Amino acid sequence: MGRIAVIGAGTGAMAAAARLAVAGHRVVVYERASTYGGALGRFERDGFAFDTGPGLLRVPAVLRDLFVKTGREPLEACVDLVQVDPSAHHVFADGTEVSLPNASRAGVVAALDHALGADAGERWGDFLVRAREAWDRTRRPLLEEPLWPNWRVLADREPYPAVPRRRLLGTRRAGTLAEVGAWELRDPRLAALLESHALAYGLDPRVAPASAAVLPYMEHAFGTWYVRGGMRELARAMYERCLARKVEFRFGTAVRRIVEKDGRAVGVELGEDPSPASGAATTAVEDADFVVAGVAPGMLERLLAGTPPHGGDEPAPQRGAASRLTLLLALRGGRPAGVAHRTVVHTADRAEELERLFGGRSGLPAAPTVTVTRPDDPGSVPGPEHEAVTVTVTVPAGLRVSGTDVERVLDATRRAVPDVRERLLWHEVRTPADIAEATGAEGGAVTAPALAAASGRLLHPSNGTRVPGLFSVGGWTHPGGGLPHAGMSGALVAGLIVEGPEFRGSQ
């Protein structure tokens, strides 16, 4: 039995901790904050409650596997998991609206045909067939296995089987997600539907590879799920599972340095910053056979005192990723019957939106794309005469949010909640700076899942590092951002520690 030091108590870190404890290791989690969960935060005021991070779960099989492998109680016995139907309601720039059924290809095709016109559903259905082929080609190497040593095979090959497009001087195939929308879907509303999946992860569809087609496919194939009581309940269940497996948590405990000896990670140095009164810092070193770091790359480099955590021939950490601006709205009046759990309001000017997001122009566009979440959950409100609404916008990392930005988000929200201003009791703004404070990610950046092609720009560093005995876990490492991917990173790290470098993932 070895001693494992885990830095951070986010989703990936807790997933690794529970699996390692079941394997017989003594696991201690050091978390600088006062609680667990990382990005899975919860804000409460006046009887209202809101998720401050991800609000929905996709690919629940990853967490189901975690709970099966670490105890007798399955995931559904620990949280109330509810399938969201419709999966989403979309409001397009021209006023067209459509509700897409959850995990039903036939239902989605019929809904799109009815709302957007004949053949729209067929084009989207044909696209999903091609997206499934890309998923089948990349699922194991990009989600279920440690990063391949020959990862450049993934970087240089586009797995999406794009349809040939005849041109004057020959044929071309779509190489970016935007080209897939323009050339294969051939409807600006279908293109907006496609690109919204990339924007949700902070990806520019003009340069995101066609392989990003797997993002809408995952939602279509595995459904969209809500945890009754909010996603914080999922973090709570993971924490309690860790406790049941004898994982020790030390909250309010900062790790100042990863200790190395003879070129190997052998422990962590704990301590507080120098006291203003004495000017002295308090430190202590705790030994470990392995160290698992669930922190952003910049933080990991600092903990290694300048020693790069990754190196050699492998993907570089994503830098300068997008972030999120979130408005938490407390409304008078109950949730109307029949409204969708999630509504995506698409921008009227995609070119301006992309330029402000990825081109360096400051502030939000006049009408940004917003995602409006309205859970039918009594636990989120003080009573049936109130409603809790969360509005999320993708923004540049490090954005300093202005009052004008907030007003533009509220204006866009009116297309989903027409009387939002009249019903508004109060609102809370969560900015990229708040995400940075909660996660330690520079600028409050949020990473995307690993994607093939694009010369490896959207791959992530391997879970093993150049420092023997040190492993990385969470959204900044393979297989990337998103709850299922973070949970899978925990499974991969546990496998690499328990079985060694020959571990090749679940079978």
Side-chain angles (χ1 to χ4, degrees):
M1 181 178 75
R3 179 181 171 89
I4 314 290
V6 179
I7 305 172
T11 301
M14 288 197 292
R19 290 177 181 271
L20 288 166
V22 166
H25 294 282
R26 180 189 173 193
V27 184
V28 182
V29 177
Y30 305 92
E31 170 57 58
R32 66 186 178 94
S34 60
T35 188
Y36 53 84
L40 292 178
R42 191 83 165 157
F43 177 83
E44 298 183 2
R45 173 182 164 188
D46 300 340
F48 291 88
F50 307 84
D51 288 318
T52 58
L56 293 169
L57 176 65
R58 298 172 181 86
V59 197
V62 172
L63 293 176
R64 286 180 176 136
D65 181 72
L66 168 68
F67 277 76
V68 167
K69 298 288 178 58
T70 60
R72 296 178 180 176
E73 287 185 309
L75 175 63
E76 278 82 357
C78 301
V79 296
D80 186 1
L81 199 59
V82 181
Q83 194 168 25
V84 174
D85 201 10
S87 174
H89 183 76
H90 289 265
V91 180
F92 297 105
D94 67 352
T96 306
E97 300 187 22
V98 62
S99 290
L100 301 181
N102 200 340
S104 169
R105 182 181 185 278
V108 168
V109 168
L112 289 173
D113 276 342
H114 177 75
L116 308 187
D119 298 332
E122 182 179 359
R123 289 197 299 276
W124 184 261
D126 290 345
F127 157 74
L128 287 176
V129 171
R130 295 188 293 275
R132 176 179 179 172
E133 188 170 338
W135 168 256
D136 288 341
R137 291 173 176 176
T138 61
R139 173 180 58 86
R140 284 198 60 81
L142 290 187
L143 183 62
E144 298 176 356
E145 298 177 344
L147 185 68
W148 290 352
N150 60 335
W151 60 269
R152 290 189 180 277
V153 174
L154 299 170
D156 297 334
R157 294 182 182 177
E158 173 54 72
Y160 177 78
V163 177
R165 179 174 184 253
R166 292 183 179 180
R167 302 291 298 274
L168 182 62
L169 299 177
T171 61
R172 283 192 60 191
R173 293 177 183 268
T176 68
L177 201 66
E179 290 173 343
V180 171
W183 299 356
E184 298 181 11
L185 298 178
R186 304 190 308 278
D187 183 310
R189 296 163 299 184
L190 289 179
L193 171 59
L194 173 64
E195 293 180 5
S196 67
H197 290 273
L199 287 174
Y201 287 103
L203 298 175
D204 184 347
R206 301 169 301 181
V207 298
S211 65
V214 300
L215 299 177
Y217 174 76
M218 285 192 295
E219 181 171 308
H220 160 77
F222 305 109
T224 304
W225 303 77
Y226 174 69
V227 178
R228 188 79 64 188
M231 295 299 288
R232 180 68 181 172
E233 281 294 288
L234 181 60
R236 187 265 313 156
M238 294 181 69
Y239 171 66
E240 291 182 354
R241 177 54 54 87
C242 285
L243 292 180
R245 303 282 77 82
K246 308 303 182 184
V247 175
E248 179 183 351
F249 285 81
R250 299 188 189 178
F251 296 112
T253 302
V255 174
R256 294 178 59 89
R257 183 171 63 92
I258 295 170
V259 180
E260 297 178 62
K261 182 178 181 181
D262 298 328
R264 179 183 176 84
V266 295
V268 292
E269 179 182 285
L270 312 177
E272 301 176 353
D273 291 330
S275 140
S278 66
T282 303
T283 62
V285 172
E286 299 207 0
D287 296 334
D289 296 289
F290 297 95
V291 177
V292 176
V295 298
M299 175 68 73
L300 183 53
E301 291 169 10
R302 290 192 291 274
L303 294 177
L304 282 165
T307 303
H310 297 277
D313 185 25
E314 68 171 33
Q318 287 188 26
R319 303 287 187 177
S323 185
R324 296 189 181 106
L325 166 64
T326 303
L327 268 59
L328 312 178
L329 310 180
L331 305 185
R332 61 171 63 88
R335 180 180 185 271
V339 302
H341 183 109
R342 176 175 54 132
T343 297
V344 180
V345 178
H346 296 268
T347 182
D349 192 339
R350 177 55 53 80
E352 182 197 13
E353 179 169 65
L354 295 180
E355 185 61 25
R356 288 186 179 274
L357 258 174
F358 307 107
R361 293 180 61 185
S362 61
L364 296 186
T369 296
V370 300
T371 299
V372 181
T373 305
R374 308 175 74 176
D376 183 12
D377 187 347
S380 68
V381 291
E385 68 282 1
H386 295 95
E387 184 179 10
V389 175
T390 301
V391 186
T392 307
V393 189
T394 299
V395 300
L399 175 72
R400 293 188 176 183
V401 177
S402 68
T404 299
D405 292 330
V406 173
E407 290 301 312
R408 288 177 171 177
V409 174
L410 283 172
D411 285 341
T413 302
R414 291 177 72 98
R415 298 185 65 201
V417 190
D419 55 357
V420 62
R421 289 188 181 273
E422 293 76 15
R423 296 173 58 197
L424 187 62
L425 293 170
W426 51 263
H427 70 274
E428 178 79 12
V429 180
R430 310 291 292 181
T431 69
D434 295 314
I435 296 177
E437 174 64 24
T439 67
E442 184 177 354
V446 179
T447 61
L451 296 173
S455 301
R457 287 186 297 103
L458 296 174
L459 297 176
H460 297 261
S462 59
N463 305 105
T465 74
R466 66 184 299 170
V467 180
L470 173 64
F471 295 84
S472 290
V473 74
W476 291 94
T477 192
H478 180 74
L483 284 176
H485 293 72
M488 200 63 217
S489 76
L492 295 176
V493 166
L496 289 167
I497 290 176
V498 173
E499 298 187 24
E502 67 279 1
F503 173 69
R504 291 296 176 264
S506 59
Q507 300 298 322

